[in-house]
Amino acid sequence: LAISIPLIIFGSAVILKYVLMDEFLSAVICWHYFGKRRSFPQLWKTKRFRSFNHFVLERLYLLQKLDLVRSIHGIPRPVVADLSALNDLRNGIAHSFFPQNRRRKPEWKRQSIFTEAGFERFLEDMGKLSDFFVERFWRGSPEDIDDRPDVTAPERRPAGA
């Protein structure tokens, strides 16, 4: 079974970006339900957070997570469109040994993902999506600016803990 090198490289990059966007959405959902006062490593030590991740987040697909995030925060239409297109592209690549032979070829904004131009456009747009999540949720948006963790303060434990 011979698989071309571009298929492996481009396909791996698409799946990697899909997983990254899925993680961004998961983080936003977790912050909504658990706040930002405790870090994820701290939260993973709690049964409630582990259960939420194992029995809720792991069972949601990217588009379901996107719908949930959209119900919590205003997400611009171009971000929604790019995440939906990423989901379609990832499905086309991940569910076929030879995605280039599918009736609907793997494309990013009407360019083959297997061309230099298509792949560069894809990477550029994924960079913009990453920037959106980092700027909007990690640096603090108006609705959660007061809920950011103070990473400079020592961790406090409740009395008797």
Side-chain angles (χ1 to χ4, degrees):
L1 182 67
I3 298 177
S4 70
I5 298 301
L7 174 61
I8 293 170
I9 293 170
F10 298 151
S12 297
V14 168
I15 292 169
L16 177 68
K17 295 301 182 182
Y18 176 93
V19 171
L20 177 62
M21 295 306 138
D22 188 77
E23 284 297 316
F24 282 152
L25 292 167
S26 293
V28 173
I29 293 166
C30 287
W31 287 330
H32 177 72
Y33 288 102
F34 294 92
K36 290 185 177 180
R37 301 249 180 252
R38 292 185 284 173
S39 68
F40 286 134
Q42 292 168 329
L43 286 168
W44 272 108
K45 294 176 184 175
T46 68
K47 184 176 182 179
R48 185 171 170 248
F49 186 78
R50 284 192 314 269
S51 294
F52 181 79
N53 273 273
H54 295 152
F55 299 108
V56 177
L57 284 185
E58 284 184 11
R59 295 179 183 196
L60 295 176
Y61 299 110
L62 183 128
L63 294 181
Q64 293 168 319
K65 290 177 184 180
L66 176 59
D67 287 341
L68 179 53
V69 170
R70 289 179 70 200
S71 76
I72 300 165
H73 299 282
I75 304 296
R77 286 184 185 177
V79 171
V80 172
D82 280 354
L83 287 171
S84 295
L86 172 61
N87 185 71
D88 292 344
L89 178 60
R90 178 260 178 202
N91 286 343
I93 288 174
H95 295 288
S96 177
F97 275 121
F98 302 102
Q100 67 275 23
N101 294 337
R102 293 173 69 101
R103 189 173 11 161
R104 188 166 174 214
K105 309 285 188 250
E107 293 183 333
W108 184 255
K109 299 189 177 174
R110 298 188 181 143
Q111 292 180 313
S112 171
I113 194 69
F114 301 117
T115 65
E116 186 176 343
F119 189 64
E120 284 178 6
R121 174 82 188 268
F122 170 76
L123 291 177
E124 180 182 322
D125 289 344
M126 290 301 103
K128 289 176 186 175
L129 276 180
S130 293
D131 291 347
F132 166 78
F133 280 102
V134 169
E135 291 171 12
R136 175 76 164 73
F137 296 104
W138 272 260
R139 293 196 179 129
S141 59
E143 65 264 16
D144 52 37
I145 196 86
D146 294 326
D147 197 26
R148 281 198 260 170
D150 182 357
V151 294
T152 61
E155 182 180 341
R156 295 184 196 159
R157 294 188 182 266

